[in-house]
Amino acid sequence: TAAVGPAGEIYATWSTVWHSQRIWLNRSLDGGLTWLHNDLRVADIPSGEFRQGSWLSWPVVAVDRSGGPHHGRVYVAWERYSLGFGRVDLAWSDDHGDHWSEPVRVDRFEDATDSDKAWVVVDDRGRVHVTYRLRRFALGGSLRAEYLATSTDGGVTFGPSIRISDDLYRYRPGGDYHQPVAVGNRLHAIWGDARFGDNDVFTQSIDLDDFDEPFAAAPPAVA
């Protein structure tokens, strides 16, 4: 994925796969005409938490363009796997990707759950929002739901996750990809949802001014 910074710089992120995984980033300061000769390492995923060809991490990138205290900070989020269960991690950089923070966990669930399809955006006030899909195990299979976690301190910590899909739904292969957008004081989440038997595109609009209040999800719209 790619994102544009406040001065027009372009950031692109991806992962490489061999016996382990590594998250990478490169940047262009001239509108994409030239790029760094050496890619920048964001994080490593330990080999013990990866099985080649099965559990893959898909990094996504966003940049703070708000003009707030973390103006220009670059964020990369990805999922990592341990014993078959996924979690969402995030790291940030204040020097255009030359150096990175230690990864922090975004989804704060303690039970056996599986998180994936993470995406990160930064709103006009500099708040960092990560949406992801959570799998819960149930009798007769597993159920999915779309969740949102937010950081108000530049990605250092994340508050409790809230469910933004109004219901759980059965899994059906596919349904990629989940991508929100933050405009003004609203976040518009989008995801693949198989509650009607096949994957449809659902969306939910969230008023970020009310984010500190308990959020009760209204029925999402089908796009």
Side-chain angles (χ1 to χ4, degrees):
T1 62
V4 179
E9 68 273 24
I10 303 173
Y11 300 94
T13 186
W14 68 94
S15 64
T16 54
V17 179
W18 188 238
H19 298 295
S20 61
Q21 277 192 286
R22 179 168 287 178
I23 309 298
W24 297 95
L25 179 132
N26 205 322
R27 66 171 182 255
S28 171
L29 303 181
D30 56 10
L33 294 177
T34 61
W35 297 80
L36 296 177
H37 292 293
N38 296 315
D39 301 325
L40 303 171
R41 182 185 66 85
V42 177
D44 290 333
I45 298 177
S47 58
E49 300 183 11
F50 168 74
R51 186 176 71 193
Q52 187 169 350
S54 178
W55 301 325
L56 302 176
S57 293
W58 306 98
V60 292
V61 61
V63 188
D64 188 337
R65 303 171 61 178
S66 67
H70 304 296
H71 180 75
R73 179 169 286 185
V74 184
Y75 300 93
V76 172
W78 64 92
E79 59 264 15
R80 57 184 286 186
Y81 295 89
S82 179
L83 302 176
F85 297 103
R87 56 178 277 184
V88 177
D89 282 357
L90 176 139
W92 49 265
S93 171
D94 283 330
D95 55 9
H96 305 288
D98 287 334
H99 302 89
W100 291 88
S101 70
E102 288 296 317
V104 298
R105 184 169 183 178
V106 172
D107 55 328
R108 295 169 53 185
F109 288 93
E110 302 298 332
D111 54 349
T113 57
D114 188 10
S115 302
D116 64 357
K117 301 294 184 289
W119 206 284
V120 58
V121 294
V122 184
D123 68 19
D124 294 344
R125 290 168 51 184
R127 293 172 293 188
V128 184
H129 305 282
V130 178
T131 62
Y132 60 92
R133 182 177 67 179
L134 182 75
R135 177 174 61 155
R136 292 189 177 276
F137 297 97
L139 292 177
S142 59
L143 299 172
R144 264 71 170 181
E146 191 76 0
Y147 277 79
L148 167 68
T150 293
S151 172
T152 59
D153 58 8
V156 177
T157 60
F158 280 84
S161 297
I162 60 172
R163 195 183 75 197
I164 54 177
S165 58
D166 66 325
D167 204 354
L168 303 175
Y169 55 88
R170 294 288 178 184
Y171 172 71
R172 188 175 180 87
D176 301 340
Y177 286 88
H178 299 205
Q179 181 176 358
V181 61
V183 180
N185 290 321
R186 302 201 71 85
L187 183 138
H188 305 277
I190 189 169
W191 68 93
D193 191 316
R195 69 179 66 186
F196 297 140
D198 60 351
N199 284 306
D200 297 303
V201 179
F202 278 71
T203 182
Q204 178 70 276
S205 181
I206 301 164
D207 187 344
L208 296 175
D209 284 341
D210 297 332
F211 189 79
D212 292 331
E213 301 296 327
F215 177 73
V222 182

